[in-house]
C-alpha cells in the first residue's frame, strides 16, 4: 500500500470507530484499550495465516504418518503468534448472533494469554462493557477487506495512529503513554540506537522501541532483535500492558516490567546501557526523598536536590544507566537547562564529566 492509501485507511477506521464511541455510554478510557485489543487480534490473525502458509510448505512428511502436524513452536521462527481456533479472527467474525460476543472475545484473549506467558494479564478482557451491537459493529469495521492482506508494518502504523488519537482524546493516565512520532524520530535519529542494550525507564507505550526497530531496518538492515535488546520499566499498569501489546503488534520482543522508577531499578541497569531513551513525566513533585531507596540510590551519583522537583532525578538516572560509551536522548522541561541552586550544582557536575 502507498503512504496515502495507508493514511486513508487509518482515517476511515478511526472515523468509524470514533463515531461509535461518541454514540455510546463509554468514556474514551473505557473504549480505547479494547479497541486496541481488536487491532491486535486482527493483526495477530493476519500474521498467523501468513506464517501458517509458509510453515505448511516446509513440514516434514513421514512415510507412514504423513505430514507432521503444525506445532506452536513453528510459529516462533515465523515471528507470529500461534492462535487457538477460538481466538482466530475468522471464528470471532462468524460467531452466531445468539452468542455473547463480549464474553467470547474475553475468552479468546485468555486463550492467547494461556499460550504465551509474556502476554499473561496483558490483553484486554473487558469487552462485556460494550453493548452487543456496538461490539459487533466494531468487529465489522476491523473486518475491512483492505486489512486482509496488509503487512505487520501497516498494522503497527494503525495501532500507533489509534494510540495517538486516543491520547488526544484524553484516554491516557496523566498524558504519559504517548510521545509524538516526530519527537521519537528526532531522538532516535540523533543517538542512533543500533546495537546492544536499549533502555526506557518511562516506557509508556514503547514508542521508542518501535522507532528504534524501524531505524535499524531502514538504516542498518537486518533483524532488529539480533542487534538490540529492549528493556523497559513503567509505573502505570495500563501503560505496561499497552507497551507489551504494541511490541507484539510490531513483531518485537522486550523485557518490560511494571515499577515506579523513582523507587525501583527493577532491571538493575546502572552502567549497563548502550542507549537510554525516555519521555518521563517531568516537573514531578512529592517524590519521597526520605526513603532509603532514594537516599542510597546508586543512580544518583551527584546527590539529591533540595527543591521538590524530580527533573534532576531523571537526568541522573539516565546518566547512571549508561556504560562508558553509552548515549542518552530524552525529553525534559526546558527549565531544567537553567535551574539554579542545588540543581545548578548537579548540572555543573554533569557537564564536567
Amino acid at each position: 500500500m502507498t503512504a496515502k492509501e495507508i493514511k486513508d485507511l487509518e482515517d476511515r477506521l478511526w472515523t468509524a470507530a470514533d463515531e461509535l464511541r461518541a454514540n455510546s455510554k463509554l468514556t474514551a478510557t473505557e473504549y480505547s484499550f479494547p479497541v486496541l485489543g481488536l487491532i491486535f487480534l486482527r493483526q495477530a490473525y493476519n500474521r498467523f495465516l501468513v506464517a501458517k502458509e509458509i510453515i505448511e510448505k516446509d513440514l516434514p512428511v513421514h512415510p507412514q504418518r504423513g505430514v507432521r502436524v503444525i506445532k506452536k513452536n513453528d510459529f516462533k521462527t515465523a515471528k507470529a503468534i500461534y492462535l487457538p481456533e477460538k481466538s482466530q479472527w475468522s471464528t470471532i467474525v462468524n460467531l452466531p448472533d445468539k452468542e455473547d460476543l463480549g464474553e467470547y472475545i474475553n475468552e479468546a484473549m485468555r486463550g492467547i494469554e494461556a499460550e504465551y506467558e509474556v502476554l499473561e494479564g496483558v490483553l484486554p478482557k473487558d469487552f462485556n462493557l460494550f453493548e452487543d451491537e456496538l461490539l459487533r459493529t466494531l468487529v465489522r469495521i476491523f473486518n475491512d477487506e483492505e486489512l486482509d492482506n496488509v503487512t505487520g508494518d501497516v498494522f503497527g502504523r494503525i495501532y500507533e495512529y489509534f494510540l495517538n488519537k486516543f491520547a488526544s482524546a484524553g484516554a491516557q493516565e496523566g498524558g504519559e503513554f504517548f510521545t509524538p512520532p516526530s519527537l521519537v524520530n528526532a531522538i532516535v535519529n540523533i543517538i542512533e540506537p543500533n546495537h546492544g542494550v536499549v533502555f526506557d525507564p518511562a516506557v509508556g507505550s514503547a514508542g521508542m522501541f518501535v522507532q528504534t526497530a524501524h531505524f535499524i531496518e531502514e538504516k542498518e538492515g537486518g533483524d532488529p532483535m539480533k542487534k538490540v535488546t529492549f528493556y523497559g520499566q513503567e509505573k502505570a499498569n495500563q501503560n505496561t500492558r499497552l507497551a507489551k501489546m504494541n511490541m507484539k503488534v510490531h513483531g518485537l520482543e522486550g523485557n518490560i516490567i511494571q515499577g515506579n522508577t523513582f523507587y525501583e531499578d527493577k532491571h538493575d541497569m546502572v552502567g549497563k546501557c548502550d542507549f537510554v531513551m525516555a519521555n518521563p513525566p517531568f516537573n514531578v513533585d512529592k517524590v519521597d526523598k526520605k526513603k532509603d531507596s532514594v537516599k542510597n540510590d546508586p543512580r544518583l551519583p551527584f546527590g539529591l536536590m533540595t527543591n521538590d522537583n524530580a527533573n534532576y532525578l531523571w537526568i541522573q538516572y539516565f546518566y547512571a544507566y549508561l556504560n562508558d560509551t553509552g548515549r542518552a536522548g530524552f525529553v525534559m522541561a526546558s527549565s531544567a537547562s537553567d535551574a539554579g541552586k542545588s540543581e545548578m550544582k548537579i548540572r555543573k557536575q554533569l557537564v564536567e564529566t
Side-chain angles (χ1 to χ4, degrees):
M1 299 179 76
T2 66
K4 184 180 185 307
E5 288 171 336
I6 295 172
K7 181 66 168 62
D8 290 344
L9 178 60
E10 290 169 342
D11 289 342
R12 180 158 52 79
L13 293 174
W14 170 258
T15 299
D18 193 45
E19 285 177 356
L20 284 177
R21 190 198 70 78
N23 292 299
S24 76
K25 61 183 181 181
L26 300 174
T27 65
T29 301
E30 291 170 327
Y31 191 71
S32 59
F33 198 36
V35 168
L36 291 168
L38 289 179
I39 297 173
F40 168 85
L41 267 181
R42 187 72 164 91
Q43 182 267 2
Y45 182 63
N46 275 37
R47 278 186 184 267
F48 172 83
L49 291 181
V50 171
K52 184 170 179 284
E53 185 177 345
I54 294 169
I55 292 165
E56 286 175 338
K57 289 178 182 177
D58 296 326
L59 284 174
V61 181
H62 189 275
Q64 282 79 42
R65 294 192 293 269
V67 179
R68 176 175 69 74
V69 176
I70 291 181
K71 299 177 182 179
K72 184 173 84 171
N73 281 345
D74 294 325
F75 287 86
K76 185 175 182 180
T77 56
K79 289 190 173 181
I81 297 175
Y82 166 75
L83 296 176
E85 187 175 353
K86 69 177 182 181
S87 302
Q88 294 176 22
W89 184 260
S90 58
T91 307
I92 293 167
V93 167
N94 294 309
L95 206 65
D97 289 345
K98 64 181 180 181
E99 289 277 359
D100 183 338
L101 182 59
E103 189 51 40
Y104 188 92
I105 297 178
N106 290 343
E107 286 301 316
M109 294 294 192
R110 291 187 185 102
I112 296 173
E113 289 184 346
E115 297 289 344
Y116 293 94
E117 186 178 350
V118 69
L119 289 175
E120 186 177 348
V122 169
L123 302 180
K125 294 175 286 293
D126 43 10
F127 289 92
N128 50 325
L129 288 175
F130 287 62
E131 295 172 3
D132 190 71
E133 186 51 40
L134 168 63
L135 187 53
R136 290 184 187 279
T137 305
L138 263 177
V139 169
R140 287 195 291 271
I141 287 171
F142 289 109
N143 199 42
D144 192 301
E145 62 181 14
E146 278 197 61
L147 293 173
D148 287 345
N149 300 306
V150 300
T151 63
D153 287 344
V154 174
F155 272 108
R157 280 193 51 171
I158 293 169
Y159 187 93
E160 289 173 46
Y161 182 85
F162 271 67
L163 269 178
N164 187 10
K165 289 291 191 179
F166 282 131
S168 299
Q172 56 178 323
E173 296 187 36
E176 293 170 4
F177 75 51
F178 190 80
T179 304
S182 56
L183 192 51
V184 180
N185 288 342
I187 291 172
V188 169
N189 285 317
I190 289 169
I191 69 171
E192 299 182 326
N194 58 5
H195 66 273
V197 172
V198 179
F199 183 41
D200 185 342
V203 76
S205 60
M208 299 287 184
F209 296 162
V210 170
Q211 190 53 44
T212 294
H214 289 330
F215 171 82
I216 292 171
E217 289 166 348
E218 293 168 9
K219 301 289 178 68
E220 306 283 330
D223 182 357
M225 300 315 305
K226 293 180 179 178
K227 298 190 176 185
V228 295
T229 304
F230 294 120
Y231 291 90
Q233 185 165 311
E234 170 58 42
K235 180 181 71 172
N237 176 59
Q238 184 87 328
N239 296 350
T240 305
R241 295 166 68 196
L242 281 171
K244 290 181 177 182
M245 204 158 65
N246 195 14
M247 294 287 278
K248 278 293 182 184
V249 165
H250 286 86
L252 301 173
E253 300 289 338
N255 190 342
I256 297 173
I257 299 177
Q258 184 180 356
N260 189 329
T261 301
F262 290 130
Y263 306 117
E264 302 171 289
D265 177 18
K266 288 202 166 184
H267 291 294
D268 188 24
M269 279 295 178
V270 172
K272 297 178 181 177
C273 298
D274 296 281
F275 300 94
V276 174
M277 296 184 290
N279 177 14
F282 43 78
N283 290 330
V284 172
D285 54 17
K286 307 304 180 187
V287 174
D288 188 352
K289 290 185 280 190
K290 294 179 181 179
K291 282 180 174 283
D292 287 340
S293 61
V294 178
K295 288 190 295 184
N296 304 315
D297 195 334
R299 299 174 300 164
L300 300 174
F302 307 118
L304 286 166
M305 313 81 62
T306 56
N307 65 328
D308 193 10
N309 184 305
N311 291 347
Y312 273 86
L313 294 180
W314 284 115
I315 294 172
Q316 288 191 76
Y317 297 158
F318 304 147
Y319 171 88
Y321 289 137
L322 296 175
N323 60 28
D324 290 342
T325 58
R327 295 200 291 271
F330 54 91
V331 184
M332 186 52 59
S334 59
S335 58
S337 65
D338 63 356
K341 299 182 180 178
S342 61
E343 291 178 306
M344 181 181 69
K345 292 178 181 178
I346 292 171
R347 187 169 63 252
K348 183 175 185 290
Q349 294 177 82
L350 279 164
V351 171
E352 287 174 347
T353 67

